[in-house]
Amino acid sequence: MNINTKLLHGYPVICPETGASSIPKFQASTFHQTDVFNHKGYNYTRFGNPTITAVEECIKVLENAQFGLAFSSGMAAINAVLFLLSKGDHLILGKNIYGGTFQSINEFLIRFGVEVTWVDESDVNAWEAAIKPNTKMFYLESPSNPLLTITDLKAVTDVAKKHNILTACDNTFMTPLIQETLTLGIDIVIHSGTKFINGHSDVIAGLVATNDETLYNQLKIHQKALGGVLAVEEAWLLLRGVKTMGLRMEKSITNAQKIAEFLQTKEQVKQVYYPGLPTHPGYEIHQKQAKNGGAVLSFELETQEQVEQFFKKCQVPIVAVSLGGVESILSLPWLMSHAAMPEEERLKTGVTPTLVRLSCGIEDVEDLIADLEQALENNG
Ligand SMILES: Cc1ncc(COP(=O)(O)O)c(C=O)c1O
């Protein structure tokens, strides 16, 4: 089955009881048991719910995985995975990473006695050089948020396998449609379902997929015991949103490519970060492991005044914290997605006050380009 067919027919999309063309919202916290010793598959929604099961089947199918899990947010999914680590374990991860993940590691994992080493994610040797006898996990994100740096997923995973180290990868920016991380050797793939998978800026969700049954069973306990399960209403909305992901992504990605090329021609723009541009330092590797550059790009303006003007003048994209919606979303990572990182860390990793991130939506690209052009005008 090809992907657009799969998105509509590849997982439970029809109610098995009634034939309804959408899985109903089983809006119940608990399930009556006619037999106290046995239930019919569900007993309490934090442990499982048919609407949530459909989402878990969906991510499993999209990732060609054996197991899927749905969480209340991308961060709940990330934390469930990070909780596989125990006191005394060593975690290695790229220094360019989503600000929330950085915060969680800094606030909790380190306090809980996990040793952490940050490496240059684009340097395969740096991952290997950082390995210690207690290294338990490599945590990856490629392309990274917000600078779109690229990690060679296959090469880093090969290093991990050689040393018996677990690999987890945040695939939010690419989605399973563009980058098949499990096929590249990753053990656990994570998504903020809030973004492209739901795609309508109206749901917060997290998803995980794996082929390893032991990991799945452990993560299922984390989902249940930490309590970060996806809500029923959000599960239903996500099931509705995901059906159009193929079409949405296609248009958003075409728009992103055109916008990145346009921004490169503008003198007011110091630098464009987009892995679909041959000038991107990770271009070759990214082409090897993903189908295209995706729908998110970043660019660097010269001064803070320019940034202020630019945000004021932009009319079409919404200015907001998220990405992956049908509408284009403009954000300032310095004040938004990466505000939780100490200033020094942000600057060290290239998240400057003049770095702008654009998540491309499905608008007509001419309107987006015209809007960006007028916002940049007289702004140099
Ligand atoms: C790459 C990445 N991973 C994870 C998250 C966290 O997702 P959520 O906001 O659904 O918790 C985000 C949010 O922006 C993100 O950009």
Side-chain angles (χ1 to χ4, degrees):
M1 218 185 256
N2 292 312
I3 194 63
N4 284 300
T5 314
K6 221 186 213 185
L7 282 166
L8 291 157
H9 303 287
Y11 52 94
V13 283
I14 291 175
C15 172
E17 305 282 314
T18 63
S21 61
S22 113
I23 297 287
K25 268 180 238 173
F26 285 89
Q27 194 71 52
S29 59
T30 192
F31 297 77
H32 172 61
Q33 290 177 222
T34 45
D35 169 359
V36 73
F37 301 105
N38 295 295
H39 56 74
K40 295 179 185 157
Y42 297 98
N43 58 349
Y44 188 56
T45 283
R46 180 158 52 79
F47 311 159
N49 175 293
T51 317
I52 301 168
T53 302
V55 171
E56 296 183 331
E57 286 295 309
C58 172
I59 189 60
K60 176 181 128 179
V61 166
L62 296 186
E63 285 287 7
N64 293 314
Q66 300 284 319
F67 307 99
L69 286 162
F71 292 87
S72 56
S73 66
M75 280 315 303
I78 290 167
N79 286 322
V81 171
L82 292 175
F83 263 65
L84 292 168
L85 297 164
S86 307
K87 186 176 174 184
D89 286 341
H90 178 224
L91 166 71
I92 304 177
L93 73 165
K95 60 180 169 36
N96 280 294
I97 205 139
Y98 169 58
T101 311
F102 176 93
Q103 184 175 34
S104 180
I105 289 166
N106 239 13
E107 294 269 341
F108 303 111
L109 280 208
I110 291 174
R111 178 151 60 81
F112 294 165
V114 174
E115 227 187 305
V116 179
T117 303
W118 305 87
V119 296
D120 171 358
E121 60 280 351
S122 59
D123 179 0
V124 178
N125 296 328
W127 291 86
E128 187 148 33
I131 294 173
K132 297 180 184 186
N134 57 339
T135 306
K136 173 95 183 277
M137 186 191 284
F138 282 180
Y139 184 94
L140 306 99
E141 186 181 298
S142 183
S144 68
N145 184 358
L147 283 155
L148 294 301
T149 62
I150 302 300
T151 305
D152 189 331
L153 297 175
K154 170 86 173 64
V156 172
T157 305
D158 285 348
V159 170
K161 287 201 189 314
K162 202 166 81 187
H163 295 270
N164 211 15
I165 293 165
L166 193 63
T167 47
C169 181
D170 182 337
N171 200 23
T172 299
F173 270 36
M174 288 291 101
T175 79
L177 271 53
I178 304 172
Q179 183 167 264
E180 294 173 22
T181 52
L182 296 180
T183 311
L184 293 165
I186 293 288
D187 296 310
I188 305 166
V189 60
I190 308 166
H191 295 277
S192 166
T194 311
K195 315 297 193 230
F196 296 103
I197 294 180
N198 175 63
H200 292 76
S201 302
D202 52 11
V203 158
I204 297 283
L207 301 163
V208 163
T210 182
N211 284 317
D212 184 314
E213 192 167 5
T214 310
L215 286 174
Y216 166 75
N217 287 333
Q218 191 59 40
L219 290 168
K220 179 77 196 158
I221 293 172
H222 293 190
Q223 182 197 45
K224 181 176 157 181
L226 294 171
V229 73
L230 185 62
V232 173
E233 175 83 18
E234 317 304 277
W236 185 84
L237 280 166
L238 189 143
L239 288 169
R240 179 187 162 120
V242 75
K243 291 182 182 176
T244 55
M245 180 165 60
L247 280 178
R248 286 188 280 106
M249 292 304 290
E250 204 176 303
K251 177 72 172 143
S252 289
I253 292 161
T254 312
N255 284 357
Q257 183 73 39
K258 288 187 180 152
I259 291 168
E261 286 163 11
F262 157 76
L263 289 171
Q264 265 198 321
T265 67
K266 301 306 289 179
E267 60 178 338
Q268 298 93 332
V269 176
K270 244 169 57 178
Q271 180 82 40
V272 181
Y273 303 99
Y274 180 63
L277 291 175
T279 47
H280 188 83
Y283 178 77
E284 306 273 317
I285 290 166
H286 186 70
Q287 292 299 307
K288 233 176 34 182
Q289 63 194 20
K291 294 193 178 87
N292 52 58
V296 182
L297 57 94
S298 293
F299 54 98
E300 186 80 49
L301 294 176
E302 295 275 355
T303 63
Q304 262 168 286
E305 293 69 44
Q306 260 189 328
V307 170
E308 210 177 306
Q309 278 298 307
F310 180 77
F311 272 87
K312 257 193 210 145
K313 286 165 86 179
C314 265
Q315 305 276 313
V316 180
I318 65 165
V319 174
V321 161
S322 199
L323 59 102
V326 279
E327 64 290 279
S328 292
I329 305 177
L330 200 58
S331 73
L332 195 64
W334 178 262
L335 293 181
M336 296 174 163
S337 56
H338 288 65
M341 256 179 161
E343 192 171 311
E344 190 192 322
E345 293 298 329
R346 275 178 275 165
L347 290 173
K348 242 196 316 195
T349 54
V351 180
T352 65
T354 47
L355 182 76
V356 178
R357 192 185 71 196
L358 178 65
S359 166
C360 299
I362 62 170
E363 298 93 342
D364 292 309
V365 75
E366 301 76 19
D367 293 333
L368 286 171
I369 289 180
D371 191 38
L372 296 172
E373 176 128 59
Q374 66 78 26
L376 286 168
E377 240 166 61
N378 303 324
N379 203 0

